[in-house]
């Protein structure tokens, strides 16, 4: 952070430029709040039961060892991913860092080691939306609004 001197007489800085409001100078970026952690995932989390598996890895419950907050962690094995898939995954992280909507799972933090990526996300326990949709041949707007809330 830099320093700047302002003249109280004419509301200008020492270079003669107009003084801005503090609110104009402070900018928050949502991506600043989702961190790529440098320590190991297992130093901060205890891994729990599996919630599902996919081609590249699995999703498991996890518990933060200090706060006891339960989250979901998506664990992806690098050996199963091509260079293109790793690039796509990196892009997915960048997109998830920017998203903030009540109907989209939030990315809390992520880790990487030699063999795996770990995406720590909020835990959603309502089940798969796809499963709910396949149980019904027709869904009205009122029912759909209850499912998404």
């Amino acid at each position: 952070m830099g320093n700047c001197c302002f003249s109280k007489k004419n509301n200008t800085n020492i270079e003669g430029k107009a003084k801005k409001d503090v609110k104009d100078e402070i900018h928050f970026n949502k991506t600043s709040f989702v961190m790529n952690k440098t320590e190991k995932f297992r130093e901060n989390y205890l891994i729990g039961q599996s919630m599902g598996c996919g081609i590249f890895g699995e999703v498991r419950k996890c518990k933060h060892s200090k706060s006891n907050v339960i989250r979901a962690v998506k664990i992806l094995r690098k050996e199963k991913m091509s260079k293109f898939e790793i690039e796509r995954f990196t892009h997915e992280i960048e997109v998830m860092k920017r998203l903030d909507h009540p109907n989209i799972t939030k990315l809390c933090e992520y880790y990487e080691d030699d063999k795996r990526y770990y995406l720590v996300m909020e835990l959603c326990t309502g089940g798969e939306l796809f499963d709910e949709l396949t149980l019904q041949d027709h869904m009205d707007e009122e029912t759909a609004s209850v499912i998404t809330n």
Side-chain angles (χ1 to χ4, degrees):
M1 296 183 75
N3 293 329
C4 186
C5 299
F6 288 95
S7 165
K8 291 183 181 181
K9 284 195 298 187
N10 60 9
N11 204 32
T12 60
N13 65 14
I14 57 174
E15 297 165 344
K17 295 179 182 175
K19 179 180 168 183
K20 295 180 182 178
D21 282 347
V22 173
K23 65 180 173 128
D24 294 334
E25 302 253 341
I26 299 173
H27 299 283
F28 289 106
N29 184 342
K30 289 179 187 171
T31 62
S32 301
F33 295 103
V34 178
M35 294 186 261
N36 180 2
K37 300 293 193 158
T38 54
E39 63 267 19
K40 295 183 186 220
F41 173 78
R42 292 178 191 263
E43 290 175 3
N44 293 314
Y45 286 92
L46 302 170
I47 297 177
Q49 72 185 46
S50 179
M51 297 175 66
C53 293
I55 297 170
F56 304 120
E58 66 180 326
V59 176
R60 299 180 74 104
K61 283 186 179 179
C62 63
K63 181 167 82 169
H64 191 265
S65 52
K66 292 180 183 167
S67 68
N68 290 325
V69 172
I70 305 294
R71 301 215 186 271
V73 60
K74 187 181 208 179
I75 305 169
L76 303 172
R77 294 184 300 269
K78 291 180 179 181
E79 68 190 32
K80 301 280 186 181
M81 301 171 77
S82 69
K83 184 177 179 181
F84 171 76
E85 290 161 340
I86 289 173
E87 288 174 10
R88 196 174 89 191
F89 170 69
T90 304
H91 184 260
E92 177 185 343
I93 289 174
E94 291 305 314
V95 170
M96 288 181 72
K97 285 168 57 174
R98 289 181 174 86
L99 295 175
D100 184 19
H101 189 277
N103 295 336
I104 298 174
T105 304
K106 288 177 183 45
L107 175 65
C108 302
E109 56 192 8
Y110 60 101
Y111 297 79
E112 178 181 354
D113 62 26
D114 293 338
K115 295 181 180 181
R116 294 176 185 86
Y117 295 105
Y118 303 86
L119 283 113
V120 180
M121 300 174 284
E122 68 179 332
L123 180 64
C124 299
T125 58
E128 294 285 334
L129 177 59
F130 180 77
D131 294 340
E132 185 65 31
L133 293 173
T134 57
L135 292 174
Q136 306 195 22
D137 26 301
H138 174 69
M139 186 177 297
D140 59 37
E141 187 176 337
E142 184 179 344
T143 305
S145 70
V146 172
I147 291 174
T148 60
N149 287 332

